[in-house]
């Protein structure tokens, strides 16, 4: 209703369509073929690992594997691999520590997807055939709903072990749920409220857990049980360090309990970090207890080592193009043209797999009225951010075509109206309400809101009314937080400054060179440039991040431990739509509801979307089993969507890159 108010402004128009860059075949495999849970007659491992077994340094492979391992299909790619070889990654982030249950950042770039394994696996869902496109097994192998639709029983990988040989089981999951997610002093990635009000988790036995839901058939809950929410860490190590169980521990000591230099990291993943050199590199070696095998019983992974060079995100693309690294999500538009020019060279080292426009850059406006409000200035800015007419003005003051062309010329970038991604499984061009660039209208509407340049310096001044608080009469100046870890974020922030200046709004840049998550958690920011990517591409996995279901989300509207968010009327509508999605068993109806969500979110300019950008996977040609058509971002990032544990390198190519820690295993001396 309120949406029609800003009469000065042009009304919605269709979003300009983009040309698709995707081409080539796309892997398709049936759910029950991709992964099976079953015992095989015999198991194999690399010869040098077998030698360690023979020397008595490690139990035999069949005793290291679960009773029924996850048998992964290789026939839908190139087939059975050979052991050996290395993949070299680059990350622009740095590990904060290894306590992922307590929200530590491990280094991104696919590190978390190796170290933290979750109840279900989502990233490879993109390759499933449509008859059964659902979360895949990971630490939970199978599950069943009760007849009344209120309970979900999950069976865990029986007999699976952590990389230090200690048993994995229900206690690990219970510790995550009760003492991390359920403890507001721990900045966990997920909160119990996001699983529906009143949801509880019960340990049935060491290998079985049972969820109890107040709602009937919350089918989409399974999508919340994967990366990065339901990924237990080793309770046998962390429980004794948690303040609830250790009187001399504090929350701070618990959160930082596993320092980056504490290696080897204890993990359930295919490899684990065995060496860390700050600002230089991390080495990961194969985990001898990893729970997957191929159809022939060869324990995975095929590659013995993963290296992470610690550099910048842009350098990831540059090094992969140059052949000194092996994998990049090419996501920095300013170097697309140069990379594509080099790709014409016959010696170009990589395959290029283009994906959908799955990345976006947006400006988030802080809506929080209790979190991080330190004074009356903050209060006035938050209230302004919460005013729809103001958000319309800001969004229509953004020239998205110009921002896109300034990042990279050509057909790559399209305007992004905010909300969810149009190029996604559920997306349709007309689902978004898109308010076009209209500088004159935006200026007029700003004046009508009472903001006029009373002192002739080109910046509008706050009206002398109660809404302005201590800012009455001052220039309208807003702080804009952005990360300097990505060049694109810096470039976008610069564009926002100049466009807002044309509108008469002064922007004070707040560059941040650590992880934005830290500042987001404090709520001490006005506006922020943000790449939202996965939440908008695969919202089913992140329902808790796109509307205020719990106090810790969305990033731009937090509550506090004491007080929930003050929801705007349209946010209540969004929460309501998400409630319907949670219990909708029909995927087609779920998609329709996601489109309803998008309409409400964009009509109300929930965030100021700017540009939608396609990305490409660059991967060195020496790897086999890279699934054709792997998306950079769908149900997870390309690193996990491509299933690295199945990658292999032919013997004659293995010498091209040497291992840094040959023939070593984490924790085995
Ligand atoms: C991909 C990804 C894998 C996080 C991160 C980073 C964080 C966000 C996001 C991407 C990086 C890479 O993205 O840019 O290509 O390798 O790691 O985890 O942007 O700042 O908070 O959500 O995934
Ligand atoms: Ca002024």
């Amino acid at each position: 209703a309120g949406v029609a108010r800003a009469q000065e402004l042009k009304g919605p128009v269709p979003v300009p369509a983009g040309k698709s860059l995707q081409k080539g075949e796309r892997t398709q495999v049936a759910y029950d073929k991709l992964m099976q849970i079953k015992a095989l007659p015999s198991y194999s491992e690399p010869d040098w690992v077998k030698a360690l077994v023979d020397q008595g340094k490690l139990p035999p492979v069949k005793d290291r594997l679960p009773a029924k391992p996850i048998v992964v299909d290789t026939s839908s790619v190139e087939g059975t691999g050979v052991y050996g070889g290395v993949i070299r990654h680059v990350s622009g982030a740095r590990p904060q520590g290894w306590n992922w249950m307590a929200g530590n950042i491990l280094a991104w770039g696919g590190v978390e997807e190796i170290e933290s394994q979750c109840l279900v696996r989502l990233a490879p869902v993109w390759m499933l055939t449509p008859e059964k496109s659902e979360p895949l097994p990971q630490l939970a192998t199978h599950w069943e709903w009760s007849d009344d639709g209120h309970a979900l029983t999950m069976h865990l990988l029986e007999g699976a072990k952590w990389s230090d040989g200690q048993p994995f089981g229900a206690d690990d999951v219970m510790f995550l749920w009760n003492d991390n997610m359920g403890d507001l002093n721990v900045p966990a990635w997920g909160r119990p409220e996001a699983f529906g009000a009143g949801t509880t988790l019960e340990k049935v036995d060491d290998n079985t857990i049972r969820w109890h839901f107040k709602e009937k058939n919350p089918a989409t809950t399974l999508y919340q049980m994967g990366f990065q929410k339901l990924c237990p860490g080793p309770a046998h190590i962390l429980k004794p360090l948690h303040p609830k169980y250790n009187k001399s521990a504090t929350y701070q000591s618990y959160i930082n309990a596993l320092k980056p230099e504490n290696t080897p990291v204890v993990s359930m993943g295919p490899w684990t970090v065995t060496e860390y050199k700050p600002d230089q590199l991390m080495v990961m070696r194969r985990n001898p207890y990893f729970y997957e095998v191929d159809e022939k019983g060869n324990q995975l992974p095929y590659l013995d080592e993963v290296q992470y060079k610690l550099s910048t995100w842009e350098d990831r693309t540059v090094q992969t193009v140059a052949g000194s690294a092996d994998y990049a999500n090419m996501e920095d538009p300013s170097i697309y043209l140069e990379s594509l020019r080099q790709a014409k060279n016959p010696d170009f080292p990589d395959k290029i797999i283009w994906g959908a426009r799955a990345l976006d850059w947006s400006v988030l406006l802080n809506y929080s009225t209790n979190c991080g409000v330190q004074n009356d200035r903050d209060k006035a800015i938050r209230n302004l951010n919460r005013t729809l007419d103001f958000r319309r003005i800001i969004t229509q003051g953004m020239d998205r075509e110009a921002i896109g062309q300034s990042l990279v010329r050509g057909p790559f970038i399209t305007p992004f109206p905010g909300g969810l991604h149009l190029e996604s499984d559920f997306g349709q061009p007309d689902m978004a309400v898109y308010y076009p660039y209209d500088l004159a209208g935006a200026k007029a509407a700003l004046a009508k809101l009472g903001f006029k340049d009373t002192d002739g310096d080109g910046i509008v001044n706050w009206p002398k009314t109660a809404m302005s608080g201590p800012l009455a009469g001052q220039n309208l100046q807003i702080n804009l937080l952005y990360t300097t870890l990505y060049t694109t974020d810096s470039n976008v922030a610069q564009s926002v400054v100049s466009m807002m200046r044309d509108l008469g709004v002064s922007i004070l840049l707040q560059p941040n060179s650590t992880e934005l998550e830290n500042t987001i958690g404090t709520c001490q920011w006005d506006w922020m440039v943000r790449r939202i990517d996965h939440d908008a591409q695969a919202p089913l996995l992140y329902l808790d991040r796109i509307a205020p279901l719990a106090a810790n989300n969305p990033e731009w509207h937090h509550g506090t431990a004491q007080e929930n968010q003050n929801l705007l009327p349209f946010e209540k509508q969004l929460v309501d739509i998400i409630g319907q999605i949670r219990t909708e068993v029909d995927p087609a109806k779920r998609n329709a509801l996601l489109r309803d969500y998008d309409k409400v979110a964009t009509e109300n300019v929930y965030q100021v979307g700017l540009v939608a950008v396609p990305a490409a996977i660059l991967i060195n040609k020496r790897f086999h089993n890279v699934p054709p058509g792997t998306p950079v971002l769908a149900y997870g990032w390309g690193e996990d969507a491509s299933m690295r544990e199945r990658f292999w390198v032919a013997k004659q190519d293995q010498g091209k890159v040497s291992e840094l820690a040959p023939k070593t295993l984490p924790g085995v001396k």
Side-chain angles (χ1 to χ4, degrees):
V3 186
R5 278 178 301 171
Q7 296 119 346
E8 295 73 19
L9 287 158
K10 283 186 189 150
V13 299
V15 190
K19 177 178 150 211
S20 174
L21 300 158
Q22 288 170 280
K23 50 175 182 279
E25 51 169 332
R26 178 187 153 131
T27 310
Q28 289 272 280
V29 51
Y31 184 99
D32 297 310
K33 185 175 182 203
L34 183 59
M35 290 182 192
Q36 297 178 54
I37 316 297
K38 64 176 185 194
L40 295 178
S42 66
Y43 300 104
S44 325
E45 59 195 322
D47 290 342
W48 64 270
V49 178
K50 177 74 173 55
L52 292 170
V53 172
D54 294 342
Q55 292 164 35
K57 292 188 173 170
L58 201 64
V61 63
K62 71 161 185 1
D63 299 339
R64 304 197 310 265
L65 286 165
K68 292 181 184 171
I70 300 186
V71 180
V72 170
D73 171 73
T74 62
S75 69
S76 52
V77 271
E78 287 162 88
T80 315
V82 294
Y83 285 122
V86 181
I87 184 164
R88 297 163 304 171
H89 282 282
V90 178
S91 170
R94 298 293 181 271
Q96 295 176 337
W98 307 114
N99 193 354
W100 57 83
M101 286 192 291
N104 289 181
I105 285 167
L106 309 187
W108 299 124
V111 177
E112 353 287 269
E113 290 90 337
I114 288 177
E115 292 291 356
S116 61
Q117 307 282 293
C118 317
L119 289 184
V120 299
R121 185 149 178 205
L122 297 160
V125 167
W126 70 270
M127 66 176 90
L128 298 175
T129 45
E131 320 82 72
K132 187 170 178 186
S133 169
E134 284 169 25
L136 289 153
Q138 195 162 57
L139 299 179
T141 52
H142 56 296
W143 42 85
E144 45 310 307
W145 288 92
S146 61
D147 291 338
D148 68 2
H150 288 286
L152 175 69
T153 304
M154 293 184 114
H155 307 276
L156 306 175
L157 268 175
E158 199 174 327
K161 296 182 179 66
W162 291 94
S163 57
D164 62 357
Q166 293 299 308
F168 159 78
D171 289 339
D172 294 302
V173 186
M174 297 311 294
F175 176 62
L176 167 64
W177 177 258
N178 289 327
D179 300 323
N180 289 275
M181 299 171 68
D183 185 338
L184 289 177
N185 299 302
V186 179
W189 293 104
R191 292 288 178 219
E193 300 93 295
F195 293 76
T199 297
T200 58
L201 180 63
E202 171 202 358
K203 172 181 170 179
V204 178
D205 61 36
D206 283 346
N207 303 308
T208 319
I209 54 172
R210 186 169 297 135
W211 300 90
H212 298 277
F213 303 104
K214 293 264 180 289
E215 298 155 295
K216 191 177 157 67
N217 294 329
T220 62
T221 307
L222 269 176
Y223 289 87
Q224 310 297 315
M225 295 183 183
F227 187 76
Q228 162 179 32
K229 287 187 280 269
L230 265 166
C231 316
H236 65 283
I237 290 173
L238 283 161
K239 207 167 168 176
L241 303 173
H242 189 290
K244 186 169 153 193
Y245 305 94
N246 179 336
K247 291 291 160 254
S248 63
T250 63
Y251 280 101
Q252 216 44 47
S253 73
Y254 171 69
I255 293 164
N256 299 319
L258 306 180
K259 304 250 176 321
E261 56 278 9
N262 280 11
T263 57
V265 178
V266 174
S267 162
M268 293 294 292
W271 302 270
T272 194
V273 175
T274 52
E275 193 186 339
Y276 164 64
K277 286 194 192 153
D279 290 328
Q280 289 184 45
L281 102 165
M282 299 194 310
V283 180
M284 291 176 163
R285 296 288 300 170
R286 61 181 307 117
N287 166 9
Y289 293 90
F290 187 54
Y291 52 79
E292 286 180 11
V293 300
D294 69 13
E295 309 92 315
K296 298 198 171 124
N298 298 302
Q299 187 182 29
L300 295 175
Y302 293 126
L303 303 176
D304 284 336
E305 188 173 294
V306 177
Q307 298 168 8
Y308 270 90
K309 299 185 210 189
L310 301 174
S311 178
T312 65
W313 292 115
E314 199 174 50
D315 191 42
R316 174 171 72 169
T317 302
V318 170
Q319 289 212 35
T320 306
V321 164
S324 57
D326 297 320
Y327 181 98
N329 295 325
M330 189 167 76
E331 59 190 9
D332 10 40
S334 58
I335 49 180
Y336 282 6
L337 296 176
E338 173 58 18
S339 305
L340 293 178
R341 196 183 59 76
Q342 301 213 23
K344 298 211 176 90
N345 182 332
D347 303 329
F348 189 66
D350 307 319
K351 261 180 226 152
I352 302 187
I353 312 172
W354 278 98
R357 288 182 177 77
L359 303 180
D360 72 80
W361 275 266
S362 297
V363 175
L364 308 183
L365 279 53
N366 194 340
Y367 288 57
S368 309
T369 54
N370 44 40
C371 185
V373 177
Q374 293 172 300
N375 48 41
D376 287 346
R377 175 209 174 264
D378 292 349
K379 211 170 172 179
I381 301 262
R382 307 287 168 95
N383 280 335
L384 196 56
N385 289 343
R386 292 166 63 92
T387 305
L388 175 60
D389 280 345
F390 180 67
R391 297 195 302 276
R392 278 279 307 261
I393 291 163
I394 299 307
T395 212
Q396 298 200 252
M398 298 288 183
D399 184 350
R400 293 171 171 78
E401 309 266 357
I403 300 176
Q405 291 304 308
S406 79
L407 293 173
V408 54
R409 277 170 291 114
F412 298 96
I413 297 184
T414 55
F416 177 51
L420 307 176
H421 290 160
L422 304 181
E423 293 182 22
S424 57
D425 283 2
F426 55 89
Q428 279 174 8
D430 59 359
M431 73 180 183
V433 176
Y434 175 50
Y435 299 114
Y437 181 50
D438 178 10
L439 184 59
K443 282 182 148 170
L446 195 55
K448 203 171 159 207
L449 262 190
F451 289 87
K452 290 176 188 146
D453 181 14
T454 48
D455 49 7
D457 64 356
I459 302 299
V460 298
N461 297 65
W462 284 79
K464 293 197 168 138
T465 58
M467 75 172 274
S468 306
L471 298 174
Q474 292 185 26
N475 275 349
L476 173 55
Q477 187 176 65
I478 291 170
N479 299 333
L480 180 66
L481 175 69
Y482 69 98
T483 176
T484 55
L485 296 177
Y486 291 91
T487 9
T488 307
D489 294 63
S490 306
N491 292 340
V492 166
Q494 297 294 343
S495 296
V496 169
V497 170
S498 71
M499 277 161 199
M500 290 298 99
R501 174 161 288 275
D502 292 348
L503 182 63
V505 177
S506 161
I507 299 291
L508 193 69
L509 287 177
Q510 278 190 320
N512 185 303
S513 64
T514 62
E515 295 292 333
L516 280 189
E517 271 86 357
N518 302 333
T519 314
I520 292 169
T522 67
C523 308
Q524 289 172 17
W525 52 278
D526 299 342
W527 289 9
M528 157 169 70
V529 170
R530 188 72 167 145
R531 206 181 83 189
I532 305 187
D533 41 57
H534 41 359
D535 308 357
Q537 187 68 19
L540 209 51
L541 285 55
Y542 300 103
L543 294 175
D544 56 328
R545 288 174 63 94
I546 60 172
L549 304 188
N552 68 331
N553 267 317
E555 289 186 335
W556 57 95
H557 196 180
H558 282 196
T560 64
Q562 292 76 34
E563 215 185 333
N564 282 336
Q565 295 92 326
N566 263 312
L567 300 191
L568 292 168
F570 79 90
E571 287 183 291
K572 294 189 181 141
Q573 251 177 294
L574 295 177
V575 169
D576 181 63
I577 295 173
I578 290 192
Q580 294 175 46
I581 295 175
R582 288 176 42 76
T583 52
E584 179 53 69
V585 288
D586 177 355
K589 288 191 187 144
R590 272 194 314 241
N591 287 347
L593 285 163
L594 284 171
R595 293 190 286 271
D596 292 347
Y597 167 97
D598 197 57
K599 174 140 195 302
V600 176
T602 52
E603 188 166 51
N604 288 283
V605 197
Y606 202 17
Q607 333 88 347
V608 177
L610 296 176
V611 286
V613 179
I617 290 180
L618 298 179
I619 178 148
N620 194 284
K621 288 175 184 160
R622 75 175 189 285
F623 294 99
H624 293 274
N625 280 359
V626 177
T630 305
V632 175
L633 185 59
Y635 293 83
W637 285 98
E639 289 93 335
D640 200 30
S642 59
M643 299 181 67
R644 284 172 291 184
E645 74 272 29
R646 295 191 302 191
F647 286 7
W648 55 278
V649 175
K651 281 278 179 232
Q652 69 271 19
D653 291 335
Q654 289 183 4
K656 289 180 182 164
V657 178
S658 33
E659 295 175 47
L660 292 169
K663 303 205 169 152
T664 61
L665 289 174
V668 178
K669 298 250 158 44

